[in-house]
Amino acid sequence: MRARFWVALALALAGCARGALATDRVVLHKKVRRSVLLRAKRAAVEQTRQQHHAHRTLPHPPRRSMQKKKKRKPRGLELLQEIAAETPAVSGEETAQAAKQLDVVNEAQVEADKALHYNEEERDMLQTQMLSTGQSMYVIKRMALTVQRMKEQVEALEQHEKLCRKRVADLRAGQYQTAEDARLANQVKVIC
């Protein structure tokens, strides 16, 4: 989720930089220390009190019930609301500029979501391709082993064939010799 935010922010900033004109206003916010803010508030309260005293017509000192009670310091949401009340109103031009920037950020978010979706699809396809490649490599390895075993069997069969041919040749040679001996034995020979 954070990665999508940073991608969207980068795209938005890039879009803002491209679309920025010389007449566009830039709003810079300055962080004010709390003590400076409190001094400014106290000065405003003191000024208001002085204005009230100038308009007063009563010469006697204020009553105890009218004396200012110690005001607690604003915190959290109250402090933010007071700060917001002190800032000047936003002009229509600044609002339009903010709307344009919001549109750019929204478009960047849509583009980032699309890019993320395409990236996830591409990752899934690559994983599928890697699995199929691995399976293909396994099949090729098994085929190579099978071919090697078949070659060994063919060599063994060729050796067996040579032995058989040699035995057949020996048997034929023995038969020829026996036939020749029988023929010679059956012939009458005169010795003188």
Side-chain angles (χ1 to χ4, degrees):
M1 189 68 174
R2 283 186 176 172
R4 287 178 31 192
F5 168 76
W6 289 112
V7 169
L9 182 63
L11 291 174
L13 292 176
C16 290
R18 272 188 270 130
L21 301 174
T23 59
D24 289 344
R25 291 185 183 181
V26 177
V27 178
L28 298 176
H29 296 277
K30 183 177 180 184
K31 187 172 184 178
V32 180
R33 300 188 80 188
R34 190 164 188 266
S35 58
V36 173
L37 184 63
L38 290 175
R39 271 189 263 143
K41 285 182 185 178
R42 287 179 186 151
V45 169
E46 191 64 35
Q47 188 178 21
T48 306
R49 188 181 308 152
Q50 287 175 359
Q51 288 175 353
H52 282 305
H53 286 296
H55 293 293
R56 256 190 176 165
T57 55
L58 296 175
H60 57 81
R63 295 182 201 164
R64 193 162 237 236
S65 63
M66 295 182 76
Q67 284 181 352
K68 183 181 174 188
K69 295 178 182 177
K70 188 173 182 182
K71 185 178 178 184
R72 70 179 184 98
K73 296 178 182 177
R75 293 179 185 235
L77 183 62
E78 294 173 355
L79 179 64
L80 291 175
Q81 287 174 344
E82 286 185 17
I83 292 172
E86 292 176 3
T87 58
V90 178
S91 70
E93 184 178 316
E94 290 174 351
T95 305
Q97 183 66 24
K100 286 180 186 177
Q101 289 178 351
L102 179 63
D103 290 341
V104 169
V105 168
N106 288 338
E107 289 175 11
Q109 180 65 39
V110 168
E111 290 297 319
D113 289 341
K114 283 182 184 178
L116 180 65
H117 176 71
Y118 293 147
N119 191 6
E120 288 173 353
E121 283 186 354
E122 185 176 349
R123 183 197 66 213
D124 292 343
M125 287 188 283
L126 286 174
Q127 283 180 343
T128 304
Q129 185 178 9
M130 286 175 57
L131 286 173
S132 67
T133 302
Q135 187 65 28
S136 298
M137 293 300 288
Y138 177 75
V139 168
I140 290 171
K141 181 180 177 183
R142 297 297 297 173
M143 287 177 67
L145 290 174
T146 304
V147 167
Q148 185 179 3
R149 271 191 254 126
M150 289 173 66
K151 283 182 180 179
E152 291 171 358
Q153 287 178 354
V154 166
E155 287 177 8
L157 289 172
E158 286 176 350
Q159 290 295 330
H160 187 67
E161 180 190 12
K162 285 180 184 177
L163 279 170
C164 289
R165 286 189 187 267
K166 186 175 181 184
R167 286 182 188 160
V168 167
D170 290 344
L171 286 174
R172 283 188 183 162
Q175 284 178 352
Y176 288 138
Q177 187 66 34
T178 307
E180 183 67 27
D181 290 341
R183 187 183 61 82
L184 287 174
N186 289 334
Q187 277 184 351
V188 179
K189 190 174 187 186
V190 179
I191 299 182
C192 315

